[in-house]
Amino acid sequence: MNYIFPKLKVASENDEITSSKIIQLIDKLTEEINLEKDEFLYILNNITEKEITYLNKKAYDVKYKHYQNRVYLRGLIEISNHCKMGCKYCGINYKVKTIKRYRLTVDEILECCKSGYLLGYRTFVIQSGEDSYYTDELLVDMLKRIKEEMPDVRVTLSLGERSKESYQKLYDAGTDRYLLRHETASRRLYEYLHADFMSFDNRRECLSNLKEIGYQVGAGFMVGSPTQTNEDLVEDLVYLKELGPHMVGIGPYLCHEDTELKGNDSGTLSESLAMVALVRLILPKVLLPATTALGSLHTIGREKALKTGANIMMPNISPTENRALYEIYQNKICTTDTSNQCRNCIEGRIVGVGHVIDLGVGDHIDIERVTDNDR
Ligand code: SAM
């Protein structure tokens, strides 16, 4: 396990002064919804399991205040594992030769949406490697068909970096939300984790463009990626506060042995959960998924995330035969289940930790919905 918080690594307990300073900082953060950089850093450098328990409880209370114990469900469709990008941590990046590549047609995507609709889902998250097959024209056609057949749903796209014009066309065609994790707000770490032809500035520009166009925007980052430091994680908090996204996806880095980063340790559950909690405290109304990566790292990783700041789950509705091929990291959960099985499993997990499923569209609570007619 790649521990970044030094005191967790040695499983030590703080002396009373350090512990009470961390608790005071967590209280200050809850009240003022922000801290100075050095205060965030103090927390990360000194926190132990005892204060993490306190932090998680504070985040749970803030989530409860805004969303109670409701968990929004999003039907996730992984439409293609073709990717032209070079994210060195990702098992579907263009250099990986060991996987069989697949992509879904618009008809197949529509079928997934319809089956998800019957299971009650009213948001579809359509995610993919960066695959040039999905031109604007093809996606516009797909979006129109989804919205015509199921006018009461929200569509989230997560297709990576595209031009502002392309984002605009997809928005005009009915896309409601866009997920594009910033991956890390540290330029050094971004450049270490990505191929030379990828650009830290462009990723950020994409996020600003998406916001400017009017999307509900999701950013996010991995915890425990190779060479990541607490300073890097503080940059993530500062950047997210500045960007003010509607959603933030946070998960542990999970090592994939067929990538350039093979042999590295994966991120840890405690640290990932602590980051989920901190993000809930800096962005109290944000939508925060209990990510599949958390569930893949630990059997009840997602349930633990619900017990802190998370309020979204994303059951998979991709065709079962393709799921194992969308192997961004190894030992990914839900790769052999049918969509029905995922639905039942997720509901059981949610109810098991005292939450309830909410089958509404699940917009961010500050969103006044721009209807498709207003576009
Ligand atoms: N291509 C789109 C993009 O870049 O935004 C969406 C698909 S991409 C595979 C979705 C997310 O998977 C990335 O943003 C990244 O954070 C996460 N991911 C990829 N490889 C991972 C790994 N080894 N461990 C944890 N998360 C990973």
Side-chain angles (χ1 to χ4, degrees):
M1 286 291 151
N2 178 26
Y3 279 95
I4 326 175
F5 302 174
K7 290 215 175 149
L8 281 187
K9 188 175 190 167
V10 292
S12 65
E13 276 212 10
N14 278 315
D15 58 54
E16 259 177 53
I17 298 173
T18 314
S19 186
S20 73
K21 183 161 177 202
I22 295 171
I23 299 295
Q24 274 170 25
L25 286 172
I26 294 170
D27 287 344
K28 181 176 171 197
L29 172 59
T30 311
E31 215 165 284
E32 298 179 11
I33 323 180
N34 207 1
L35 290 177
E36 297 296 331
K37 272 190 184 186
D38 63 331
E39 294 175 318
F40 280 129
L41 193 59
Y42 186 88
I43 296 180
L44 301 188
N45 281 342
N46 293 287
I47 202 160
T48 66
E49 289 295 352
K50 184 174 155 215
E51 297 89 21
I52 287 185
T53 305
Y54 185 79
L55 170 66
N56 287 340
K57 172 77 175 66
K58 281 279 172 188
Y60 181 84
D61 292 345
V62 170
K63 171 186 84 160
Y64 196 88
K65 180 173 162 208
H66 297 293
Y67 293 99
Q68 298 76 50
N69 61 344
R70 288 178 282 125
V71 180
Y72 296 126
L73 297 189
R74 322 294 204 200
L76 173 67
I77 314 166
E78 294 157 338
I79 63 170
S80 164
N81 69 354
H82 288 262
C83 190
K84 60 185 180 210
M85 289 306 215
C87 307
K88 294 180 189 166
Y89 44 84
C90 183
I92 64 168
N93 85 63
Y94 82 100
K95 278 193 173 169
V96 177
K97 299 288 177 236
T98 46
I99 43 162
K100 189 174 145 223
R101 304 280 172 173
Y102 76 93
R103 64 168 66 94
L104 303 187
T105 62
V106 171
D107 285 342
E108 288 168 325
I109 298 169
L110 250 290
E111 279 315 305
C112 295
C113 293
K114 284 186 208 160
S115 70
Y117 193 89
L118 291 176
L119 291 170
Y121 306 144
R122 293 297 176 267
T123 288
F124 302 122
V125 178
I126 295 176
Q127 192 177 78
S128 173
E130 300 213 11
D131 183 354
S132 314
Y133 169 84
Y134 296 101
T135 58
D136 293 344
E137 291 65 35
L138 181 143
L139 292 170
V140 165
D141 171 52
M142 173 193 85
L143 290 158
K144 294 212 158 129
R145 288 175 62 190
I146 296 174
K147 287 287 177 105
E148 264 163 33
E149 297 206 26
M150 292 158 277
D152 54 337
V153 302
R154 299 282 189 268
V155 176
T156 305
L157 293 181
S158 179
L159 307 175
E161 298 173 32
R162 302 177 77 95
S163 67
K164 189 169 183 191
E165 294 68 39
S166 170
Y167 287 147
Q168 185 69 56
K169 281 188 196 159
L170 302 179
Y171 181 77
D172 294 341
T175 314
D176 302 278
R177 311 179 184 134
Y178 204 99
L179 296 181
L180 185 79
R181 288 186 177 186
H182 64 281
E183 307 298 0
T184 168
S186 148
R187 185 182 291 276
R188 177 206 62 81
L189 183 58
Y190 186 93
E191 288 174 357
Y192 173 74
L193 293 174
H194 297 92
D196 289 349
F197 63 84
M198 294 176 70
S199 156
F200 175 77
D201 294 317
N202 190 57
R203 192 108 186 146
R204 285 190 168 206
E205 181 151 350
C206 286
L207 281 159
S208 329
N209 289 341
L210 289 162
K211 264 210 113 178
E212 217 175 290
I213 291 168
Y215 282 95
Q216 293 182 50
V217 172
F221 60 97
M222 287 181 300
V223 180
S225 54
T227 82
Q228 188 176 44
T229 63
N230 287 336
E231 284 79 2
D232 296 332
L233 288 173
V234 170
E235 290 305 324
D236 286 315
L237 296 173
V238 171
Y239 173 65
L240 287 171
K241 187 72 190 169
E242 203 178 283
L243 178 72
H246 303 88
M247 304 164 276
V248 179
I250 302 165
Y253 157 72
L254 297 172
C255 186
H256 192 305
E257 294 300 333
D258 293 339
T259 64
E260 280 170 74
L261 295 180
K262 67 181 174 210
N264 278 291
D265 283 342
S266 293
T268 72
L269 182 67
S270 285
E271 290 166 329
S272 304
L273 294 174
M275 294 313 297
V276 168
L278 287 168
V279 169
R280 170 62 64 201
L281 296 182
I282 59 167
L283 299 168
K285 297 178 186 173
V286 79
L287 294 161
L288 272 178
T291 53
T292 309
L294 276 168
S296 300
L297 179 67
H298 191 283
T299 343
I300 54 164
R302 287 174 298 173
E303 288 88 324
K304 284 179 178 282
L306 295 181
K307 294 297 269 180
T308 174
N311 63 336
I312 302 248
M313 293 267 255
M314 299 184 24
N316 203 317
I317 53 169
S318 310
T320 310
E321 64 269 26
N322 296 124
R323 291 188 190 186
L325 300 175
Y326 198 82
E327 194 188 58
I328 55 181
Y329 42 78
Q330 284 156 324
N331 304 314
K332 191 165 165 239
I333 49 170
C334 313
T335 53
T336 53
D337 294 343
T338 62
S339 302
N340 271 317
Q341 286 167 332
C342 273
R343 169 79 166 77
N344 294 335
C345 165
I346 275 197
E347 183 161 1
R349 287 173 181 272
I350 290 170
V351 171
V353 286
H355 286 63
V356 291
I357 60 168
D358 186 320
L359 290 171
V361 291
D363 285 324
H364 183 284
I365 46 179
D366 284 345
I367 288 289
E368 263 191 57
R369 171 74 189 133
V370 179
T371 67
D372 290 331
N373 296 337
D374 298 333
R375 285 168 197 260

